Amino acid sequence: MSKAFVKESALEEELPPQAAPDAPPAKNYVTPAGYARLKAELRQLVEVERPEVVRTVSWAASNGDRSENGDYLYGKKRLREIDRRVRFLIKRLEGATVVDNSGRDDEQVFFGASVTIRSSAGTERTLTIVGADEVDAARGHVSWHSPVAGALLKARAGDTVTLRTPAGAEQLEILDVQYLPID
């Protein structure tokens, strides 16, 4: 029988609930600086950008014909984008668990650690393990649920860990672990 003739509720009962493949993990760990950045972005959108766009749309609507009014059409589109981002930020902030490990004196790798590693090719780099909303590859900030962070977590300075990549397994030597304030 075609699924076109089956009630949607019957289809839902057959399928097990699944998380979206690209959905972030249930826990939303974030550093104090990352939390402050998210709050600042939310404040900027709500207090500055949205009122400005509302004024523009209101002015454009008062001009009459809205079907060919670029200010009105693009303003409404921008309002939808802002509202979508505001909803996202509110959800992320509500579910955030702020973790401040700066100043911690430990050689084991946990959330918030700045880890200096040496690859099997001999290149050294420093990675800082941060929340999913704070990732910045240029600054060496990696998400705590990324493969490289997964390989490093709970290891200690002096350990060698295996990072599994599509190109194959790579050995990483942990040279130093520090808990510095993250800006």
Side-chain angles (χ1 to χ4, degrees):
M1 174 186 264
S2 171
K3 290 184 179 180
F5 299 103
V6 179
K7 289 184 180 178
E8 287 183 25
S9 59
L11 284 175
E12 291 172 3
E13 291 174 11
E14 294 174 14
L15 302 174
Q18 296 177 346
D22 296 329
K27 294 185 179 179
N28 181 23
Y29 294 122
V30 64
T31 63
Y35 189 82
R37 274 194 296 277
L38 291 175
K39 281 192 75 100
E41 181 184 355
L42 178 62
R43 191 175 315 109
Q44 171 73 15
L45 288 172
V46 170
E47 295 176 2
V48 178
E49 287 187 43
R50 192 174 195 293
E52 184 177 309
V53 174
V54 167
R55 277 192 296 278
T56 303
V57 169
S58 174
W59 168 81
S62 69
N63 287 338
D65 184 19
R66 296 177 187 169
S67 63
E68 294 181 12
N69 188 333
D71 287 330
Y72 179 80
L73 295 174
Y74 293 118
K76 292 291 280 187
K77 180 181 178 191
R78 179 65 184 141
L79 274 177
R80 287 190 300 272
E81 292 169 356
I82 290 171
D83 289 344
R84 187 177 312 116
R85 183 67 181 171
V86 165
R87 283 191 304 275
F88 173 79
L89 289 171
I90 289 171
K91 283 183 180 181
R92 294 301 283 176
L93 288 168
E94 285 176 352
T97 302
V98 179
V99 179
D100 186 8
N101 280 337
S102 63
R104 184 177 181 156
D105 188 24
D106 197 349
E107 288 190 2
Q108 195 170 6
V109 179
F110 293 109
F111 182 86
S114 294
V115 185
T116 304
I117 57 173
R118 181 183 306 136
S119 68
S120 53
T123 58
E124 288 186 17
R125 62 183 176 180
T126 301
L127 301 174
T128 303
I129 300 174
V130 296
D133 298 316
E134 305 171 83
V135 173
D136 185 358
R139 294 175 53 199
H141 291 188
V142 296
S143 171
W144 67 273
H145 59 83
S146 67
V148 69
L152 295 172
L153 285 172
K154 296 187 181 177
R156 297 181 180 278
D159 288 354
T160 300
V161 297
T162 303
L163 172 63
R164 303 208 185 285
T165 65
E170 181 181 357
Q171 299 296 317
L172 301 175
E173 181 185 355
I174 300 174
L175 303 175
D176 187 33
V177 178
Q178 296 179 344
Y179 289 90
L180 305 171
I182 300 171
D183 56 346

